[in-house]
Amino acid sequence: EVQLLESGGGLVQPGGSLRLSCAASGFTFSSYAMSWVRRAPGKGLEWVSGISGSGASTYYADSVKGRLTISRDNSKNTLYLQMNSLRAEDTAVYYCAKDDYGGNAGYYFDSWGQGTLVTVSS
Amino acid sequence: DIQMTQSPSSLSASVGDRVTITCRASQNIKTYLNWYQQKPGKAPALLIYAASTLQSGVPSRFSGGGSGTDFTLTVTGLQPEDFATYHCQQTYSTLYTFGQGTKLEI
């Protein structure tokens, strides 16, 4: 059974930093791309960042580029999101998601973690 | 970036109803369109991928259609557990984007 468990959320002041982790189990972690997705209060889902299975390729939404950094440690089956220069608008529940590839069907998130809350406030 | 626009943003319906949610892409995304269901306090769950393929375990009352820029999610015979928020997502671009969500209420 696939399991994704996020940790590292909390309250941080504007301009501060936080590192989120996502511990994966139940599948061959290095074979799958992974993503971070967030949902701010009263808003819809926002894809934040993605990373290839090897970690060689990374992708970012314009809203977070230059402030958030995605990485992974395949030896530890763990995905990370380093969050710097945090703003009030980064307040959200952050989810990690397993990015499955269905060939002609393209990519889709077939497994999600339970989420971790990040609150940016003074 | 590819913009995804869902309509309506909220929808009231009753058990047994048939409802349709639409999702429009700002450019042609072929059929690289996924739908997710999210209940309060829970993580999203994949319902449909590639515009019309039902994820394993999802009831057949859910169906998806469309290609190019216009897509639909239809629920035929609403059940109490279907009242949730639905999100569309494009994966045509490496910069994935979601619609703003549709809240389905009783």
Side-chain angles (χ1 to χ4, degrees), chain A residues 1-69:
Chain A
E1 179 193 4
V2 172
Q3 290 197 342
L4 299 170
L5 185 62
E6 302 95 337
S7 60
L11 175 63
V12 60
Q13 292 188 337
S17 298
L18 213 55
R19 188 174 86 153
L20 306 184
S21 299
C22 171
S25 61
F27 64 104
T28 304
F29 183 66
S30 60
S31 295
Y32 292 89
M34 298 290 294
S35 283
W36 287 98
V37 177
R38 67 186 181 186
R39 189 172 187 191
K43 300 287 186 66
L45 295 174
E46 181 186 16
W47 174 82
V48 170
S49 183
I51 187 168
S52 61
S54 67
S57 298
T58 57
Y59 310 91
Y60 298 94
D62 288 345
S63 59
V64 305
K65 199 174 297 182
R67 300 187 301 116
L68 274 57
T69 302

Side-chain angles (χ1 to χ4, degrees), chain A residues 33 35 37 39 43-47 59-62 65 95 99 102-115, chain B residues 1 31-34 36 38 41-46 49-50 53 55 85 87 89 91 94-101:
Chain A
S35 283
V37 177
R39 189 172 187 191
K43 300 287 186 66
L45 295 174
E46 181 186 16
W47 174 82
Y59 310 91
Y60 298 94
D62 288 345
K65 199 174 297 182
Y95 300 95
D99 202 346
N104 290 335
Y107 289 91
Y108 45 88
F109 297 159
D110 66 341
S111 298
W112 297 68
Q114 85 293 345
Chain B
D1 294 1
T31 56
Y32 296 111
L33 189 285
N34 307 316
Y36 301 87
Q38 187 175 23
K42 300 294 186 182
L46 179 66
Y49 61 94
T53 303
Q55 171 69 342
T85 299
H87 308 272
Q89 175 205 31
T91 57
T94 53
L95 304 186
Y96 301 156
T97 45
F98 286 92
Q100 79 277 19

Side-chain angles (χ1 to χ4, degrees), chain A residues 71-90:
Chain A
S71 63
R72 65 192 297 159
D73 185 336
N74 286 343
S75 68
K76 295 182 178 179
N77 289 350
T78 302
L79 175 73
Y80 302 100
L81 186 66
Q82 178 66 44
M83 310 172 70
N84 298 331
S85 303
L86 283 164
R87 306 167 179 167
E89 54 265 35
D90 295 316

Side-chain angles (χ1 to χ4, degrees), chain B residues 69-86:
Chain B
T69 60
D70 294 308
F71 302 87
T72 59
L73 171 68
T74 298
V75 188
T76 303
L78 275 171
Q79 296 301 301
E81 60 269 28
D82 299 336
F83 293 93
T85 299
Y86 293 85

